[in-house]
Amino acid sequence: MGSISDTSFSVLTVADLEAVLQIEEDVYSHPWTRGNFLDSFYGGHQAQGLRNSRGDLLGYFFLMPIVDELHLLTFAVAREHQAKGYAKLLLEEMIRVARRQAFVSIMLEVRVSNLRAISVYEKFGFCEIGRRKGYYPVDIANREDAIVMRINVEQESL
Ligand SMILES: CC(C)(COP(=O)(O)OP(=O)(O)OC[C@H]1O[C@@H](n2cnc3c(N)ncnc32)[C@H](O)[C@@H]1OP(=O)(O)O)[C@@H](O)C(=O)NCCC(=O)NCCS
């Protein structure tokens, strides 16, 4: 079954695309496409994957630098590995990535309906800084607001 201590992080590359897509398409109603991920890899974004000792991909994040801030583009834990604390491990690694390169903060958007993710972000220390009206598609006729959240990675409590 494995435990948190059996896990490790590594930089994701195009070679990991199939494993990432498998998770992304399973957990998101509107997943990133192969093209989105390729653009992100070739755009020099920062992508890290969390693996267990067998090498299975448990979760990942993609971050885009914007001046002194990192923008969280996509972040997921594989469905069968959720509720085991991996979301927190991934967020802690984001903070380390940001600090190593002297970024000041991490910013993200989340669907107002994504209560689980909002709860994870709030517990970790992200604060709402605004809303973007109709930011996300829901279906052909409807759109959904985004909550914009930010965390300052320089705070000592993290
Ligand atoms: C968001 C996500 C990364 C969280 O990872 P996770 O492993 O599921 O996180 P956990 O289950 O360990 O933690 C979820 C927390 O939210 C709480 N929670 C679970 N379901 C919830 C719900 N429906 N509403 C509110 N809170 C909820 C849990 O109680 C838990 O809190 P705890 O740690 O105090 O027990 C994961 O659910 C995921 O990949 N979702 C799909 C992709 C996604 O939405 N990404 C974020 C986009 S902005």
Side-chain angles (χ1 to χ4, degrees):
M1 161 160 174
S3 69
I4 279 188
S5 57
D6 293 330
T7 59
S8 59
F9 281 97
S10 58
V11 172
L12 292 174
T13 69
V14 177
D16 301 300
L17 183 56
E18 298 307 325
V20 169
L21 268 177
Q22 207 174 339
I23 297 175
E24 178 86 7
E25 290 175 354
D26 182 43
V27 301
Y28 277 108
S29 59
H30 294 73
W32 259 25
T33 62
R34 187 176 293 274
N36 293 142
F37 281 111
L38 286 173
D39 285 348
S40 192
F41 282 125
Y42 295 131
H45 299 166
Q46 319 222 1
Q48 292 270 344
L50 178 67
R51 294 182 192 280
N52 61 17
S53 53
R54 295 191 321 193
D56 305 323
L57 188 63
L58 308 173
Y60 54 83
F61 59 80
F62 283 67
L63 294 163
M64 175 172 68
I66 304 176
V67 194
D68 59 354
E69 183 165 76
L70 286 172
H71 189 164
L72 180 57
L73 299 175
T74 184
F75 162 52
V77 172
R79 190 180 297 279
E80 64 273 30
H81 294 291
Q82 291 182 2
K84 296 179 184 174
Y86 294 140
K88 188 158 177 260
L89 277 192
L90 284 154
L91 289 166
E92 285 168 353
E93 183 64 14
M94 282 179 220
I95 300 291
R96 279 192 288 272
V97 165
R99 283 182 171 160
R100 267 201 305 269
Q101 298 170 66
F103 287 97
V104 169
S105 53
I106 300 174
M107 190 271 271
L108 61 86
E109 286 104 7
V110 57
R111 287 176 185 264
V112 289
S113 64
N114 194 346
L115 300 182
R116 185 171 189 154
I118 293 166
S119 156
V120 168
Y121 294 140
E122 281 177 344
K123 277 186 203 150
F124 193 77
F126 279 85
C127 296
E128 178 172 341
I129 55 163
R131 298 217 170 192
R132 296 194 208 282
K133 197 134 191 65
Y135 186 72
Y136 291 109
V138 174
D139 53 38
I140 199 135
N142 297 292
R143 300 191 68 85
E144 177 178 5
D145 295 352
I147 300 179
V148 185
M149 303 182 93
R150 178 182 282 140
I151 193 165
N152 180 339
V153 305
E154 295 169 315
Q155 31 182 321
E156 281 176 21
S157 56
L158 288 174

